[in-house]
Amino acid sequence: MNRVRLLVFNAALGALDYRVPEGMAVEPGSVVVAPLGPRQIVGIAWEEERLPAESVPDARLRPLAEVLPVPPLRAELRRLIEWTADYYCAPLSAVARMVISSGGALRGPATMTEYRLSGGMPERMTSQRERAMERLEGEQATIRELAEIAGVSEGVLRGLVNQGAMEAVTVDCDRPYPRARAGHATVDLNPEQAAVAARLVEAVNEGVFAPFLLDGVTGSGKTETYFEAVAAALDADRQVLVLLPEIALTQAFLRRFEDRFGAPPVVWHSSLKSTERRRAWRAIASGEAQVVVGARSALFLPYARLGLIVVDEAHEVSFKQDDGVRYNARDVAVMRAHFERLPVVLASATPALESLQMAESGIYERLELPSRFGAAELPAIDTVDLTEDPPERGRWLASRLARELAERLDKGEQSLLFLNRRGYAPLTLCRNCGFRFECPNCTAWLVEHRFTRRLACHHCGHETAPPATCPECGEPDCLVACGPGVERIADEVAEILPGARVAVATSDTLNSPERAAEFVAQVEERAIDVIVGTQLVTKGFHFPELTLVGVVDADLGLEGGDLRAAERTYQQVAQVAGRAGRGEKPGQVLIQTRHPEAPVIAALAAGDRDAFYAAETEARRHAGAPPFGRWAAIIVSSEDEAEAKEAARAIGGTRPDLADIAIYGPAPAPLSLLRGRYRYRLLINARRSARLQETIRSWLDALAFPRGVRVSIDIDPYSFV
Ligand SMILES: [Zn+2]
Ligand SMILES: [Zn+2]
């Protein structure tokens, strides 16, 4: 009797046993289809001893339906799935689902039909057809995807197909990607870069687990340096994964990659079309995809023969996933490299304190690039004390910053103003009665967006048009904007520098790779004088004519109870400062602050990174915070406020009493209402030696909650709201 245990994608079902029919070859990692009641489900064959399940007698086992035509998941990946589930207290099935992230890919080779404009015209032109044809220039996709791109119904496009204005194209779903070549371009590295590159190449060739912290100042050429390790992996016919934080910023990266290797990499992110996703997944699983550049979810793909992982901008908060499986891609990347026995490079100009500590203790090998590439020098940094040089009422730029902006404009150089606040104003209220516009679903103000004439919640996406009269007192035209957002700063720049061409760069304006590319091109062509942007512009961009960076409010990030607030402020300001003076002209950075004496601001102004990290290390050590202790959060939520409160109280009431784990709460979360759910939170601070996950699991497993209650566990949390 041949039986097999399956990991299935529904946590409530647990593991399930099946019979393997005569002649069917199943091994651990095989992806299979099995009957479940009247349905069929997909599962992964797993080692029985690693996956406990209720024992079912042989006679009651149902036979597997088929083995899907994809390579079995390798043991190294299965161990990573287990480790991730265990460490982050997540269901195995939820982690496995991140691996099998394209349903279509499991079905083997296929062709599909896509459509594109044929060059012909329809017999009868309508405004809908005209709009569709305008927007579909250069596009090829399925009818459904084209309808979305064009903003018309599928019927309109079918009409165009019938009239010959659009044509069908048969596409091989697995058509190969262009090949990257290690020796495509000649490379010019300075001696520091060459030494670091040589060490990385050596590690790739050795093929052993080797974690590196590539610590290089902004503009030092970290990318060019680790590209040499990518080249070594290509030569050895091993795959490479490069994780990047913001997909909107990858256009510049892709161009550099193509210049170096003669072909673009395979791209992976959440907004891929399903056909692109399928094609990439299959090429990754077969080993055909050579280099994958992706957002954090690319980490769990089933690479056939991975040889190197790079996490670029490794300090970035966006590597932490805050829903579903709450993992940190930076940390899981190191574990994947460990299981697969290969080098992993964490690259950053402002490493996370946790990573620095690992380097200090010798677990990561530290590679340094302490100076900028070529003639560029690090910018001069200065603070503007807003208590001494306050902007006029209703304005946000101090006179010195305004003066420097005008000077740059005169010289034809570019400036960047950084404020991490989207929209026009963070708060809108009624001048007459003081009514404040709040989100109905969240504990949050509605943010005014003037470009789109909306009041929007940045947490749940709720939007409404600004009303003509106050909903509270009925006063007409009474709305007052409080505080600045980037749109308001852009208005101010337009007022003080009427001739300047100003661009707002946020996730609202650069919301697709195309728009991001267009923005980059405009800046490069010097069609923009002043960029006003959020954290989106703090990294990745390389604009040689940009010589002035103004930080509008450096104190903003220090407000609130975020454990990493100082570190994040340091990283953001240092990164945005790094955009200045990357070419031959020297850069100047002005930081507006009310607290120039705060340690983080003083360290930034002095350009003294070591002083900042030393002070921060001491503060963390004192607080038992990471990397010296560990945090976890338990978040309880329900649409019913009383139910959420009761569940939180039940958890709090059964808290374990341990010497090495302190538990705080339950208390209403700072965002006590989010997307219509009431939230309570417990915070856990543990010594490094504590059995944190085990404790939380056995604590919560003993409790039962009503259906409407969701209890999530966040290990090593980043967001404390
Ligand atoms: Zn009012
Ligand atoms: Zn909301």
Side-chain angles (χ1 to χ4, degrees):
M1 177 72 191
N2 208 348
R3 45 192 297 160
V4 65
R5 181 154 295 171
L6 297 189
L7 172 60
V8 298
F9 300 138
N10 180 341
L13 290 175
L16 299 175
D17 287 352
Y18 286 88
R19 183 162 62 78
V20 180
E22 199 79 26
M24 185 184 275
V26 177
E27 57 179 291
S30 291
V31 185
V32 300
V33 177
L36 182 76
R39 293 182 300 132
Q40 294 214 309
I41 56 168
V42 172
I44 304 167
W46 216 265
E47 293 92 331
E48 214 167 300
E49 65 279 11
R50 307 187 70 99
L51 194 62
E54 255 176 69
S55 175
V56 179
D58 283 356
R60 284 186 42 213
L61 291 182
R62 297 180 68 184
L64 286 182
E66 65 171 306
V67 179
L68 290 168
V70 292
L73 304 187
R74 297 167 58 241
E76 292 86 345
L77 181 53
R78 299 200 301 278
R79 300 297 84 82
L80 183 78
I81 294 171
E82 291 169 351
W83 181 86
T84 306
D86 186 61
Y87 186 87
Y88 292 105
C89 299
L92 269 175
S93 56
V95 183
R97 214 179 293 129
M98 299 195 292
V99 176
I100 308 293
S101 44
S102 165
L106 303 177
R107 288 286 161 193
T111 59
M112 59 170 308
T113 307
E114 291 188 335
Y115 293 83
R116 64 185 177 204
L117 296 177
S118 65
M121 294 299 280
E123 281 169 30
R124 198 170 56 82
M125 189 56 105
T126 65
S127 63
Q128 293 256 29
R129 285 177 176 176
E130 194 173 337
R131 178 159 78 158
M133 290 181 68
E134 238 174 63
R135 297 203 181 159
L136 295 182
E137 195 59 55
E139 301 282 354
Q140 177 178 315
T142 62
I143 288 282
R144 183 192 291 182
E145 287 157 350
L146 291 177
E148 195 147 296
I149 296 168
V152 298
S153 74
E154 293 179 33
V156 172
L157 299 187
R158 290 219 183 77
L160 287 171
V161 174
N162 289 338
Q163 304 233 330
M166 289 183 72
E167 62 188 4
V169 188
T170 302
V171 181
D172 172 7
C173 297
D174 292 331
R175 61 199 180 285
Y177 290 94
R179 304 293 292 172
R181 290 194 316 279
H184 173 77
T186 50
V187 181
D188 179 22
L189 298 180
N190 66 29
E192 282 168 356
Q193 287 175 307
V196 169
R199 178 66 193 101
L200 293 178
V201 167
E202 182 187 30
V204 169
N205 291 333
E206 280 172 358
V208 294
F209 173 55
F212 293 97
L213 176 64
L214 175 51
D215 183 359
V217 298
T218 55
S220 60
K222 291 184 286 297
T223 311
E224 289 72 14
T225 307
Y226 73 66
F227 273 177
E228 293 316 292
V230 174
L234 286 174
D235 275 337
D237 196 25
R238 302 291 295 265
Q239 292 171 293
V240 178
L241 166 62
V242 179
L243 290 176
L244 290 177
E246 296 276 350
I247 209 58
L249 285 188
T250 57
Q251 287 303 313
F253 181 90
L254 297 181
R255 205 168 49 188
R256 280 160 87 183
F257 186 93
E258 197 168 343
D259 287 348
R260 173 64 184 84
F261 296 108
V266 176
V267 175
W268 182 272
H269 54 80
S270 56
S271 48
L272 283 186
K273 293 190 295 182
S274 63
T275 49
E276 294 168 330
R277 175 171 292 263
R278 186 205 129 91
R279 179 182 174 207
W281 196 96
R282 290 180 58 80
I284 287 163
S286 72
E288 195 246 315
Q290 296 167 289
V291 182
V292 177
V293 173
R296 59 178 184 241
S297 58
L299 180 58
F300 286 96
L301 296 173
Y303 300 89
R305 43 172 186 281
L306 205 50
L308 170 69
I309 303 176
V310 177
V311 185
D312 205 348
E313 309 286 2
H315 60 279
E316 268 298 318
V317 181
S318 62
F319 284 122
K320 176 70 165 66
Q321 175 152 302
D322 269 331
D323 51 16
V325 181
R326 294 165 177 256
Y327 68 97
N328 187 323
R330 179 195 71 210
D331 297 340
V332 181
V334 175
M335 285 316 292
R336 180 148 200 179
H338 169 75
F339 286 122
E340 308 245 4
R341 292 177 298 279
L342 46 89
V344 54
V345 182
L346 309 183
S348 176
T350 52
L353 197 65
E354 285 92 332
S355 305
L356 271 181
Q357 196 62 31
M358 294 294 265
E360 227 106 274
S361 56
I363 298 168
Y364 294 174
E365 184 174 336
R366 187 173 185 162
L367 303 172
E368 287 180 277
L369 293 174
S371 52
R372 280 197 158 180
F373 186 76
E377 302 224 349
L378 282 170
I381 304 182
D382 219 344
T383 52
V384 176
D385 187 342
L386 290 176
T387 58
E388 284 175 10
D389 180 8
E392 286 168 42
R393 207 179 145 70
R395 291 205 167 176
W396 317 98
L397 305 179
S399 58
R400 177 164 171 213
L401 183 50
R403 229 174 18 247
E404 298 267 2
L405 282 170
E407 254 174 54
R408 293 311 185 290
L409 186 63
D410 284 345
K411 285 197 274 185
E413 295 172 8
Q414 294 167 318
S415 304
L416 165 65
L417 294 175
F418 168 68
L419 178 66
N420 208 14
R421 261 191 192 158
R422 291 155 52 207
Y424 185 83
L427 168 64
T428 303
L429 50 78
C430 167
R431 172 186 353 250
N432 188 44
C433 73
F435 176 80
R436 295 165 171 220
F437 285 84
E438 266 184 276
C439 176
N441 312 317
C442 308
T443 318
W445 309 129
L446 291 179
V447 177
E448 184 184 2
H449 286 247
R450 290 227 169 147
F451 290 165
T452 51
R453 304 177 56 85
R454 309 296 279 176
L455 293 170
C457 172
H458 287 178
H459 297 285
C460 71
H462 171 83
E463 283 194 350
T464 167
T469 59
C470 171
E472 187 71 15
C473 69
E475 182 85 359
D477 293 327
C478 63
L479 303 189
V480 194
C482 293
V486 283
E487 293 177 12
R488 195 170 195 178
I489 299 297
D491 277 5
E492 183 173 339
V493 174
E495 271 173 47
I496 55 181
L497 302 174
R501 295 160 298 175
V502 186
V504 171
T506 70
S507 54
D508 299 307
T509 59
L510 309 185
N511 52 13
S512 69
E514 292 75 25
R515 285 181 137 199
E518 202 177 304
F519 164 73
V520 170
Q522 281 186 329
V523 180
E524 284 175 348
E525 287 157 15
R526 300 165 78 168
I528 292 170
D529 301 307
V530 182
I531 305 164
V532 184
T534 57
Q535 51 92 25
L536 199 66
V537 296
T538 57
K539 57 198 163 281
F541 290 121
H542 177 82
F543 299 134
E545 293 300 320
L546 202 160
T547 57
L548 174 67
V549 166
V551 177
V552 175
D553 187 347
D555 308 332
L556 205 57
L558 294 172
E559 294 161 5
D562 185 345
L563 149 78
R564 293 180 177 79
E567 180 180 350
R568 245 186 250 181
T569 297
Y570 183 85
Q571 288 166 337
Q572 273 184 351
V573 175
Q575 292 281 343
V576 75
R579 300 311 110 199
R582 293 173 73 96
E584 286 174 1
K585 297 170 188 162
Q588 164 81 51
V589 179
L590 289 180
I591 302 173
Q592 298 199 133
T593 173
R594 270 162 243 94
H595 306 286
E597 74 295 340
V600 49
I601 306 288
L604 281 162
D608 191 347
R609 194 179 91 157
D610 292 347
F612 167 72
Y613 278 116
E616 184 66 11
T617 302
E618 263 335 287
R620 297 265 190 104
R621 200 191 302 273
H622 187 72
F628 305 101
R630 301 181 55 201
W631 287 99
I634 299 174
I635 301 130
V636 184
S637 70
S638 167
E639 288 177 13
D640 180 316
E641 187 170 12
E643 196 176 71
K645 190 172 185 178
E646 184 47 45
R649 197 182 294 156
I651 294 174
T654 55
R655 73 182 63 215
D657 183 15
L658 297 166
D660 51 4
I661 296 184
I663 299 166
Y664 308 101
L671 258 169
S672 59
L673 179 63
L674 178 65
R675 294 182 199 100
R677 299 181 71 87
Y678 294 89
R679 304 165 78 240
Y680 285 80
R681 189 189 63 177
L682 293 99
L683 278 181
I684 301 159
N685 185 210
R687 295 217 187 107
R688 287 212 70 85
S689 56
R691 304 172 81 90
L692 178 62
Q693 286 90 335
E694 232 175 274
T695 303
I696 295 176
R697 259 194 301 263
S698 58
W699 173 17
L700 296 184
D701 281 353
L703 297 168
F705 303 103
R707 271 169 160 279
V709 170
R710 207 181 291 154
V711 178
S712 24
I713 303 167
D714 195 350
I715 303 289
D716 307 337
Y718 267 56
S719 161
F720 281 75
V721 296

